[in-house]
Amino acid sequence: MAIVQVTIVPLGTGSPSVGEYVAAVHRVLEQSGDRIRYQLTPMSTIIEGELDELLTVVRRMHEVPFECGAARVSTTLTIDDRRDKRGTMEQKLLSVEEKLKR
């Protein structure tokens, strides 16, 4: 199980607003079904699942702004692929919360 943070920025759109592009990219995740979990944040999207599936979905997400008219797209990925135990978005947050309780 991997956790990926992805930020997709459309460039050359003629407008500083990117909300329509974000919504279009988010639809790819909505169509992914149960195999991928995701969390939209104000600055990026966190997705969780099997790494091969995540990379396939990110590739599809990257194409969406082009399909919507962007002239250029910048996509940034951070991959957390822990193999010694199964990690989830919730587990990572709980681990930090426990440590904050000191």
Side-chain angles (χ1 to χ4, degrees):
M1 170 92 59
I3 300 171
V4 171
Q5 175 178 284
V6 59
T7 304
I8 299 172
V9 180
L11 304 168
T13 65
S15 170
S17 178
V18 296
E20 289 296 324
Y21 291 91
V22 172
V25 168
H26 189 73
R27 287 186 191 100
V28 170
L29 293 171
E30 291 177 337
Q31 296 166 358
S32 68
D34 296 348
R35 62 186 203 274
I36 294 176
R37 297 187 61 234
Y38 56 88
Q39 180 180 359
L40 179 65
T41 77
M43 298 297 292
S44 65
T45 300
I46 313 299
I47 57 178
E48 173 185 290
E50 296 304 319
L51 184 57
D52 286 342
E53 290 183 21
L54 296 180
L55 294 174
T56 297
V57 168
V58 168
R59 175 71 172 124
R60 175 69 189 114
M61 292 166 67
H62 176 80
E63 290 298 321
V64 170
F66 288 117
E67 295 166 4
C68 293
R72 185 176 183 181
V73 178
S74 175
T75 297
T76 305
L77 289 177
T78 304
I79 300 172
D80 181 352
D81 187 12
R82 187 168 180 173
R83 307 256 171 113
D84 63 329
K85 67 179 186 178
R86 186 174 177 91
T88 65
M89 293 181 280
E90 291 83 7
Q91 175 269 323
K92 288 177 69 103
L93 291 173
L94 285 173
S95 176
V96 173
E97 289 294 328
E98 288 174 3
K99 290 166 180 62
L100 287 172
K101 291 180 184 175
R102 298 176 213 190

